[in-house]
Amino acid sequence: AETKIPYDAPSALHSQPEDSPMISITRIGRHLGAEIAGVDLSQPLDDNTFAQIASAFFDNEVAFFRNQNIQAA
């Protein structure tokens, strides 16, 4: 069973430009894994969204993106 723990991203990443999508990051386990929602990986990412995803990945070592429609290039 997964345990969802609220993820607190570094404060520098809390400011969200108006044109950036609102993403949510939920820590799945105590030491490993985060679910990232509210982002469409089939579209280009702005710098702020990329920075939030990168920070969550580096902090949690594993990132889960559910329900993505990604096709090979």
Side-chain angles (χ1 to χ4, degrees):
E2 58 185 21
T3 303
K4 292 193 175 186
I5 301 166
Y7 176 72
D8 186 26
S11 60
L13 298 177
H14 283 295
S15 60
Q16 189 81 7
E18 287 185 26
D19 59 342
S20 292
M22 182 58 94
I23 69 171
S24 68
I25 302 167
T26 305
R27 185 168 283 161
I28 300 297
R30 290 206 179 278
H31 304 289
L32 186 69
E35 179 180 345
I36 301 173
V39 63
D40 182 355
L41 296 178
S42 69
Q43 301 299 314
L45 300 174
D46 63 63
D47 291 341
N48 185 57
T49 302
F50 182 85
Q52 290 181 66
I53 292 169
S55 178
F57 174 74
F58 291 123
D59 290 348
N60 296 284
E61 300 181 22
V62 176
F64 299 96
F65 298 90
R66 299 185 194 270
N67 303 318
Q68 294 291 315
N69 186 16
I70 301 173
Q71 298 181 8

